[in-house]
Amino acid sequence: MAEAPAKKAITYHFHPEWEEEFIFTLVKDKCVCMLCHQTQALSKRGNLERHHNTNHPKFKDIFPPKSAIRAKRVLELKSGLKVQQSLFVKPVNRLKAATEASFRVSHLLAKHKKPFTDGELMKEAMAIVANTVFNDFKNKDDIKAALSSVPLGPATVTRRVESLSEDVDQQVLRDLARCEYFSVQLDESLDVTDTAQLIDSTTKEDFLTVLHLKDRTRGEDIFKEFKKYVQDNKVPIIKLVAITTDGAPAMHGVRLGFVALCRNDSAFPEFMTYHCVIHQQALVGKVLDFSHVMSLVVKLINSIRAKALQHHLFKALMDELDASYGDLILHADVRWLSRGKVLQRFVDLLPNIKTFLSTRNEVHEELSNGAWLLDLGFMTDITAKLNALNTELQGKNRHLSHMISAVNAFKAKLCVWTTHLNSRKLTHFPNLEKMTQAIQDKDAFHPDQYCAHLDKVAADIMEDITTFVSNPFQSTDVMKREKFPLLTACALKLSAYFGSTYLCEMAFSQMKIIKSKYRSCLTDVHLTDCLRLAVCSYEPNYKELADTILSQPSH
């Protein structure tokens, strides 16, 4: 037996003339009586008429149908209903705004690497501003109440940071799913509690995640954590085209290095891997064997600055001599640009340093030795040039082509500098020129020995990693994806390559500030959340986040 066809649902529409006839109006698809505020689920004429005649039978006696006074009364009732509804809507909107404001302030705190407890300080500051700036405003009480309703307690800020981090993380993962190719850069460092932290960044030059290595930091440990992250977050690893690392054994071990393990895993595609260009450039400086210069410079600086009294006396001497610099700066091996700055400051203050050492009856023959002073001048100049290259290679949006161009330009400059040195032109070596003028033995200057050092730098500087197709889509007439699919795919892959691990290094610098000795108990999860918000360029969806939670005023 065939089933009876289902009845088609009937749709009832509200007619505008019913407002004056039955004193009903439509609010959010529901018929609301403007006299008693009761609602009718269906917009049926019979329902509205029955309700009006049953509950308000005397209304037609006071306000006759189709009369001017009835029309005026309906407008008054309708306006009053809107005002009454706004009284309920406004507090809800204010709570939503306060919740959104708490998200924005929490993001600001995380961006500036501030602790969660600073939310209360921000709120106290807002209260001071409100009491001072808005004191003469007529609505000052409303302003103060609105600011005081923003929830910024430590627990609230913590939850907000967690939600913001999750939102940004999902945006990054969505972009990874949509992109055609991506590459990663990885680097490992220790936090203030000596916990190894491995940072990943993606081809959009943004932060991906922190992997917390609790035990050992071998290649298999790094691979295990990375593979787990890829699987848990459904990262499309098949789109990976390149991995950039710092060249450590744990990364590039032949059999058990991270890269080797990735190549041997069937889930990974074929990909390029190479040593960070900036790390390579920093290693080039080590081929210059001027330890006899640097050791004495560091020794003298430490002897002056290590003891408070000596340091105080030296600064007093600088003030007395009206030196251009008021003090020496310390050298740190872990900072790439430190050596050049220390040497330049030392050279500029050398006469003052000699004067200060003489007051202590301290003699160092090297400071009067022409050959040593010439080496000092040359090392100061070449280190400054290497620092300039290093700085040019750093920063965001430094594509591989730009880095290779910078390195090739430096190679060309080395040839020019060598030619000038051979002809005793010291225009590009101001400190070396200064020392040749200061020493008494003019025969101590042998340009050929410094040219040999420049040749060594040119020979050991990194080789080009790859040739690069520069902006192949600039002209659509010349290059079309449909016409040259293989070439465009190759260009897209190359454009995804990272030339350095600069983003990782930058993130480590931020991590040192976030997880300082004053916040050493920060959990790994919260460290990841804070670091992501501090370095990521993605903007969280504040309004959507505010709509997902129940807004409550601050207590």
Side-chain angles (χ1 to χ4, degrees), residues 10-245:
I10 301 176
T11 303
Y12 298 95
H13 298 283
F14 183 84
H15 295 270
E17 60 268 19
W18 291 349
E19 287 188 347
E20 187 174 328
E21 187 175 356
F22 305 123
I23 324 300
F24 269 86
T25 188
L26 197 65
V27 178
K28 294 183 178 179
D29 298 329
K30 289 187 177 182
C31 296
V32 179
C33 177
M34 291 183 278
L35 295 172
C36 64
H37 299 164
Q38 290 187 18
T39 61
Q40 294 291 325
L42 297 177
S43 299
K44 293 177 64 176
R45 177 184 179 87
N47 291 0
L48 306 187
E49 183 178 12
R50 186 183 308 109
H51 172 87
H52 181 70
N53 294 335
T54 303
N55 295 283
H56 312 290
K58 297 181 179 181
F59 187 81
K60 62 184 178 181
D61 299 333
I62 304 174
F63 304 97
K66 299 183 179 180
S67 63
I69 58 173
R70 186 182 180 102
K72 182 180 179 181
R73 181 56 180 164
V74 168
L75 289 176
E76 292 175 351
L77 290 171
K78 190 174 181 180
S79 176
L81 180 62
K82 289 183 178 179
V83 171
Q84 187 176 9
Q85 288 176 335
S86 67
L87 293 176
F88 293 98
V89 172
K90 284 183 179 178
V92 174
N93 291 339
R94 287 177 179 174
L95 289 177
K96 288 290 184 184
T99 302
E100 183 182 340
S102 72
F103 273 108
R104 291 182 179 274
V105 173
S106 299
H107 189 204
L108 179 67
L109 291 171
K111 270 284 186 187
H112 291 274
K113 301 167 283 293
K114 300 298 182 182
F116 303 140
T117 53
D118 277 11
E120 293 179 332
L121 177 62
M122 294 281 288
K123 191 168 182 177
E124 186 178 348
M126 290 191 296
I128 294 173
V129 171
N131 288 327
T132 306
V133 177
F134 304 114
N135 196 41
D136 297 331
F137 284 51
K138 292 182 179 179
N139 60 337
K140 62 179 181 181
D141 293 333
D142 293 336
I143 296 174
K144 293 177 183 177
L147 291 176
S148 63
S149 67
V150 179
L152 289 174
T156 302
V157 173
T158 304
R159 292 195 301 271
R160 297 290 187 264
V161 168
E162 292 171 351
S163 300
L164 290 164
S165 175
E166 182 180 0
D167 180 76
V168 170
D169 185 37
Q170 291 304 311
Q171 291 186 54
V172 174
L173 293 175
R174 282 197 298 269
D175 281 351
L176 275 178
R178 288 196 292 259
C179 73
E180 294 192 44
Y181 306 104
F182 72 91
S183 62
V184 296
Q185 53 177 276
L186 299 96
D187 204 354
E188 178 259 338
S189 183
L190 298 176
D191 61 21
V192 71
T193 59
D194 292 332
T195 301
Q197 309 288 359
L198 182 73
I199 288 183
D200 303 301
S201 295
T202 64
T203 187
K204 202 175 179 180
E205 295 208 32
D206 233 312
F207 176 87
L208 182 58
T209 189
V210 178
L211 301 178
H212 312 283
L213 306 174
K214 293 296 184 181
D215 299 318
R216 307 179 73 174
T217 57
R218 301 168 301 176
E220 52 262 47
D221 302 313
I222 297 173
F223 175 77
K224 180 180 178 182
E225 289 296 324
F226 182 75
K227 183 72 179 293
K228 182 177 184 299
Y229 175 81
V230 167
Q231 292 175 340
D232 292 346
N233 294 275
K234 296 181 174 60
V235 175
I237 200 66
I238 195 65
K239 300 179 181 180
L240 178 69
V241 293
I243 296 178
T244 310
T245 67

